[in-house]
Amino acid sequence: MYSLILSSALLLAVGDTLSIPAPLSPYAPKPALCPSSALVRPANGLSSAESAFITARAPIASKNLAAWLQKTNSGFATGGNMPNVAFTVSGGGYRSLLCGAGVTQGFDARDSNVGTSGLFQSFTYQAALSGGAWLLSSIAGNNYPTVSSLSSGLWQQAFQDSLLIPDDLLAAGAAYTAVTLDIKAKNTAGFPPTLTDPWGRLLSYQLLYGLDGGVTTTLSGVATSSNFALYAVPFPIITSLGVKVWEGECLPGPNATIYELTPYEFGSFDKGVAAFTQTRYLGSSLSNGAPTQAGICVSNYDNLGYVLGTSSNIFNEACLSVPDPLNSTSVLADDLAAILDAAHEVTTRDEYAVYPNPFYNYAPSTFVSAQKSLSLVDGGEALQNNPIFPLLQPARGVNVMIVNDNSADTSNNFPNGSQILTTYVQAQSGGLTRMPFIPSVDTFISEGLNKRPTFFGCDNANVITIVYLPNVNYTFMSNEPTSKLQYSKSETVGQCTSHPFLSSLRFCVFVIAGQ
């Protein structure tokens, strides 16, 4: 009884502090009691929660991988330890979402019958950024349905009637009103929203089931979904980049901090941050890893729409020029600014996804410990458009990584190897020696490595084997520009099914089986 009274009193106290008489929208962050466990930890390995998940997931993934290997070739010996296999999908807007969806479908035994069907069930990790994060969020945020189910039940209609097209947005009165109320509620709760908020909310209408575009779906909530709780799916990781706005910078540099967002934690292994906090309590006011008000935290800041919007936020590229807050029939940024203007005047701060800094005054986080907030942007802005870095961490023990690259490096919107090459260079600089050698862009193009599946690291037991899957026009014109924000139903279906190369990937068993 006394604990209940104390809990109620604390919640009332924090509600007064944050000026929240009651949440005006389920989108608004809200007060919560802090957990008994530490809110911040040094990045000296995996969290206990992730370790426990992987420990439980590993035998399931191994059993599925062994079954897939036996199906492919009954002569393979599958009695020993199976390799730890990860899968990544790059940035690239809807192009990457749909091409990545086609690859995912070809890996999913529930959704296809090709040579690679069943590999998805054997993945331990799945990482994504920007457009790839839209795909991963749509899958994880809806409890891991099949791609064909999402395509027919949500994407086809939503992408055709895209709320990111100004005319469609202005005509969608109910959605426009609901999103505006969500943004105002977050502001009233004491957390000034930015352009990422309406951006993420409108994307959610196309990616998440549920009222108001899945407004109640949070990243930490993924951990309570049935498929995740049964360890039936790979562990999801979304990435974003930090910008040194306190030094006057608008864009992330080549060695910008790579932040990870998972159902359990937010933070980075990178030097200068080297710490993680619990995702569920993002938004809490912390100093040196402890709440500034004893026992009082914040929850609901990790709205999944805000997270996927964070990973794809490119508004910072306008730098000192902020969009005009008006209802435009042609400029989406102006429409988003108009929604934001209902909460507060639009400034350059609003070009970033802003997070209260959980590492404020935290000694190990020397790079950001003096900052009250963190400014995050699209995970691919520093020429690393494939979310490989988190999977190079030794603690994760990845052996094989399947990298689906849907970057638009060339004038006709295809990858040319430059993104994964940058990752190799930065990995070498950062001492992440598990990254295999990646050749020059000239070699990529001259040898056609950007037009077919390619294996890197097969001949070196000390590095991860990367299976590189570039976007190519296999059966459908899959090189749509990243700026394309509306797809017809036939385009959505065509992009999702453009993966005949997957059948040729049966030979990757020789790499996987040899790990």
Side-chain angles (χ1 to χ4, degrees), residues 299-330:
S299 65
N300 217 42
Y301 201 93
D302 65 320
N303 177 276
L304 187 54
Y306 190 65
V307 170
L308 64 90
T310 296
S311 185
S312 59
N313 168 39
I314 59 172
F315 300 110
N316 62 303
E317 294 180 3
C319 201
L320 301 180
S321 176
V322 298
D324 295 320
L326 50 86
N327 289 327
S328 169
T329 58
S330 59

Short mmCIF file of all heavy atoms in Angstrom, two decimals, residues 299-330:
data_model
loop_
_atom_site.label_atom_id
_atom_site.label_comp_id
_atom_site.label_asym_id
_atom_site.label_seq_id
_atom_site.Cartn_x
_atom_site.Cartn_y
_atom_site.Cartn_z
N SER A 299 8.97 8.32 -19.99
CA SER A 299 8.76 7.23 -20.95
C SER A 299 8.02 7.75 -22.16
O SER A 299 7.52 8.88 -22.15
CB SER A 299 7.98 6.07 -20.30
OG SER A 299 6.66 6.49 -19.97
N ASN A 300 7.95 6.95 -23.20
CA ASN A 300 7.19 7.26 -24.41
C ASN A 300 7.92 8.19 -25.38
O ASN A 300 7.37 8.55 -26.41
CB ASN A 300 5.82 7.86 -24.08
CG ASN A 300 4.73 7.40 -25.02
OD1 ASN A 300 4.67 6.22 -25.36
ND2 ASN A 300 3.87 8.31 -25.45
N TYR A 301 9.17 8.58 -25.03
CA TYR A 301 9.94 9.42 -25.97
C TYR A 301 10.38 8.59 -27.18
O TYR A 301 10.64 9.14 -28.25
CB TYR A 301 11.17 10.01 -25.26
CG TYR A 301 11.74 11.24 -25.94
CD1 TYR A 301 11.34 12.52 -25.55
CD2 TYR A 301 12.65 11.12 -26.97
CE1 TYR A 301 11.85 13.65 -26.15
CE2 TYR A 301 13.17 12.26 -27.59
CZ TYR A 301 12.77 13.52 -27.18
OH TYR A 301 13.27 14.64 -27.80
N ASP A 302 10.45 7.28 -26.98
CA ASP A 302 10.94 6.38 -28.04
C ASP A 302 9.84 5.95 -28.99
O ASP A 302 9.85 4.82 -29.50
CB ASP A 302 11.62 5.16 -27.42
CG ASP A 302 10.65 4.29 -26.62
OD1 ASP A 302 9.79 4.86 -25.91
OD2 ASP A 302 10.76 3.06 -26.69
N ASN A 303 8.90 6.85 -29.28
CA ASN A 303 7.89 6.55 -30.28
C ASN A 303 8.57 6.02 -31.54
O ASN A 303 9.54 6.59 -32.02
CB ASN A 303 7.09 7.82 -30.59
CG ASN A 303 6.06 7.61 -31.67
OD1 ASN A 303 6.37 7.68 -32.87
ND2 ASN A 303 4.83 7.34 -31.28
N LEU A 304 8.07 4.91 -32.08
CA LEU A 304 8.76 4.27 -33.20
C LEU A 304 8.79 5.17 -34.43
O LEU A 304 9.75 5.16 -35.20
CB LEU A 304 8.12 2.92 -33.52
CG LEU A 304 8.85 2.06 -34.56
CD1 LEU A 304 10.32 1.85 -34.18
CD2 LEU A 304 8.15 0.71 -34.74
N GLY A 305 7.75 5.96 -34.63
CA GLY A 305 7.75 6.90 -35.73
C GLY A 305 8.86 7.92 -35.59
O GLY A 305 9.51 8.30 -36.58
N TYR A 306 9.10 8.39 -34.36
CA TYR A 306 10.18 9.35 -34.13
C TYR A 306 11.53 8.69 -34.37
O TYR A 306 12.45 9.32 -34.93
CB TYR A 306 10.10 9.90 -32.70
CG TYR A 306 11.03 11.06 -32.45
CD1 TYR A 306 10.86 12.26 -33.13
CD2 TYR A 306 12.07 10.96 -31.54
CE1 TYR A 306 11.71 13.34 -32.90
CE2 TYR A 306 12.92 12.03 -31.31
CZ TYR A 306 12.73 13.22 -31.99
OH TYR A 306 13.59 14.28 -31.76
N VAL A 307 11.65 7.43 -34.00
CA VAL A 307 12.91 6.71 -34.20
C VAL A 307 13.19 6.52 -35.69
O VAL A 307 14.30 6.80 -36.18
CB VAL A 307 12.88 5.35 -33.48
CG1 VAL A 307 14.06 4.49 -33.88
CG2 VAL A 307 12.86 5.56 -31.97
N LEU A 308 12.22 6.04 -36.46
CA LEU A 308 12.44 5.83 -37.89
C LEU A 308 12.59 7.16 -38.62
O LEU A 308 13.29 7.25 -39.63
CB LEU A 308 11.34 4.96 -38.50
CG LEU A 308 9.90 5.47 -38.52
CD1 LEU A 308 9.61 6.26 -39.80
CD2 LEU A 308 8.91 4.31 -38.41
N GLY A 309 11.95 8.21 -38.08
CA GLY A 309 12.13 9.55 -38.63
C GLY A 309 13.52 10.08 -38.34
O GLY A 309 14.12 10.77 -39.17
N THR A 310 14.04 9.74 -37.16
CA THR A 310 15.40 10.14 -36.79
C THR A 310 16.42 9.57 -37.76
O THR A 310 17.31 10.27 -38.25
CB THR A 310 15.73 9.65 -35.36
OG1 THR A 310 14.87 10.30 -34.41
CG2 THR A 310 17.18 9.93 -35.00
N SER A 311 16.30 8.29 -38.05
CA SER A 311 17.26 7.61 -38.92
C SER A 311 17.20 8.10 -40.36
O SER A 311 18.14 7.87 -41.12
CB SER A 311 17.01 6.09 -38.88
OG SER A 311 17.99 5.40 -39.61
N SER A 312 16.12 8.79 -40.74
CA SER A 312 15.95 9.26 -42.11
C SER A 312 15.83 10.78 -42.20
O SER A 312 15.37 11.32 -43.21
CB SER A 312 14.71 8.61 -42.75
OG SER A 312 13.54 8.92 -41.99
N ASN A 313 16.24 11.48 -41.14
CA ASN A 313 16.11 12.94 -41.11
C ASN A 313 17.22 13.60 -41.91
O ASN A 313 18.40 13.51 -41.56
CB ASN A 313 16.17 13.42 -39.65
CG ASN A 313 16.33 14.93 -39.57
OD1 ASN A 313 15.73 15.66 -40.35
ND2 ASN A 313 17.14 15.39 -38.64
N ILE A 314 16.86 14.29 -42.99
CA ILE A 314 17.85 15.00 -43.81
C ILE A 314 17.58 16.51 -43.84
O ILE A 314 18.15 17.23 -44.66
CB ILE A 314 17.88 14.46 -45.25
CG1 ILE A 314 16.51 14.59 -45.92
CG2 ILE A 314 18.35 13.01 -45.28
CD1 ILE A 314 16.52 14.26 -47.40
N PHE A 315 16.73 17.00 -42.94
CA PHE A 315 16.42 18.43 -42.94
C PHE A 315 17.63 19.28 -42.59
O PHE A 315 17.69 20.45 -42.95
CB PHE A 315 15.27 18.71 -41.96
CG PHE A 315 14.01 17.97 -42.30
CD1 PHE A 315 13.56 16.93 -41.50
CD2 PHE A 315 13.28 18.28 -43.44
CE1 PHE A 315 12.41 16.22 -41.83
CE2 PHE A 315 12.13 17.59 -43.78
CZ PHE A 315 11.69 16.55 -42.97
N ASN A 316 18.59 18.68 -41.90
CA ASN A 316 19.81 19.41 -41.55
C ASN A 316 20.61 19.84 -42.78
O ASN A 316 21.45 20.75 -42.69
CB ASN A 316 20.71 18.55 -40.67
CG ASN A 316 21.17 17.29 -41.38
OD1 ASN A 316 20.35 16.49 -41.84
ND2 ASN A 316 22.47 17.10 -41.49
N GLU A 317 20.37 19.20 -43.92
CA GLU A 317 21.12 19.55 -45.12
C GLU A 317 20.80 20.95 -45.62
O GLU A 317 21.55 21.52 -46.42
CB GLU A 317 20.87 18.50 -46.20
CG GLU A 317 21.42 17.12 -45.82
CD GLU A 317 21.19 16.06 -46.88
OE1 GLU A 317 20.65 16.40 -47.96
OE2 GLU A 317 21.56 14.89 -46.64
N ALA A 318 19.68 21.52 -45.14
CA ALA A 318 19.37 22.92 -45.46
C ALA A 318 20.21 23.87 -44.62
O ALA A 318 20.27 25.07 -44.91
CB ALA A 318 17.89 23.19 -45.23
N CYS A 319 20.82 23.36 -43.58
CA CYS A 319 21.71 24.10 -42.68
C CYS A 319 21.02 25.32 -42.07
O CYS A 319 20.08 25.17 -41.31
CB CYS A 319 23.00 24.47 -43.39
SG CYS A 319 24.37 24.81 -42.25
N LEU A 320 21.42 26.50 -42.41
CA LEU A 320 20.90 27.71 -41.75
C LEU A 320 19.61 28.22 -42.37
O LEU A 320 19.05 29.22 -41.92
CB LEU A 320 21.96 28.82 -41.79
CG LEU A 320 23.29 28.49 -41.11
CD1 LEU A 320 24.25 29.67 -41.23
CD2 LEU A 320 23.07 28.13 -39.65
N SER A 321 19.12 27.55 -43.40
CA SER A 321 17.90 27.97 -44.07
C SER A 321 16.74 27.08 -43.64
O SER A 321 16.67 25.91 -44.04
CB SER A 321 18.08 27.91 -45.59
OG SER A 321 16.88 28.24 -46.26
N VAL A 322 15.85 27.59 -42.82
CA VAL A 322 14.73 26.78 -42.34
C VAL A 322 13.55 26.91 -43.29
O VAL A 322 13.39 27.94 -43.96
CB VAL A 322 14.31 27.22 -40.91
CG1 VAL A 322 15.44 27.00 -39.93
CG2 VAL A 322 13.85 28.66 -40.88
N PRO A 323 12.71 25.89 -43.39
CA PRO A 323 11.56 25.96 -44.29
C PRO A 323 10.52 26.97 -43.81
O PRO A 323 10.47 27.32 -42.63
CB PRO A 323 11.00 24.53 -44.26
CG PRO A 323 11.47 23.97 -42.96
CD PRO A 323 12.81 24.58 -42.71
N ASP A 324 9.73 27.46 -44.75
CA ASP A 324 8.67 28.41 -44.42
C ASP A 324 7.45 27.66 -43.88
O ASP A 324 6.99 26.71 -44.50
CB ASP A 324 8.26 29.20 -45.66
CG ASP A 324 9.38 30.09 -46.17
OD1 ASP A 324 10.09 30.68 -45.34
OD2 ASP A 324 9.54 30.17 -47.41
N PRO A 325 6.92 28.07 -42.73
CA PRO A 325 5.76 27.37 -42.16
C PRO A 325 4.46 27.77 -42.85
O PRO A 325 3.72 28.64 -42.38
CB PRO A 325 5.79 27.83 -40.69
CG PRO A 325 6.42 29.19 -40.73
CD PRO A 325 7.42 29.14 -41.86
N LEU A 326 4.18 27.16 -43.97
CA LEU A 326 2.95 27.45 -44.69
C LEU A 326 2.45 26.19 -45.37
O LEU A 326 3.21 25.26 -45.65
CB LEU A 326 3.16 28.57 -45.71
CG LEU A 326 4.34 28.46 -46.68
CD1 LEU A 326 3.96 27.65 -47.92
CD2 LEU A 326 4.82 29.83 -47.11
N ASN A 327 1.16 26.15 -45.61
CA ASN A 327 0.55 25.00 -46.27
C ASN A 327 0.83 25.09 -47.76
O ASN A 327 0.19 25.83 -48.50
CB ASN A 327 -0.96 24.95 -46.00
CG ASN A 327 -1.26 24.58 -44.56
OD1 ASN A 327 -0.53 23.82 -43.95
ND2 ASN A 327 -2.35 25.12 -44.03
N SER A 328 1.81 24.30 -48.19
CA SER A 328 2.25 24.33 -49.58
C SER A 328 1.70 23.13 -50.33
O SER A 328 1.54 22.05 -49.76
CB SER A 328 3.78 24.32 -49.63
OG SER A 328 4.24 24.10 -50.94
N THR A 329 1.42 23.32 -51.59
CA THR A 329 0.96 22.20 -52.42
C THR A 329 2.13 21.56 -53.16
O THR A 329 1.92 20.65 -53.97
CB THR A 329 -0.08 22.69 -53.46
OG1 THR A 329 0.51 23.73 -54.26
CG2 THR A 329 -1.32 23.23 -52.75
N SER A 330 3.35 22.03 -52.88
CA SER A 330 4.49 21.49 -53.62
C SER A 330 5.73 21.21 -52.78
O SER A 330 6.57 20.40 -53.18
CB SER A 330 4.88 22.46 -54.75
OG SER A 330 5.21 23.73 -54.22
#
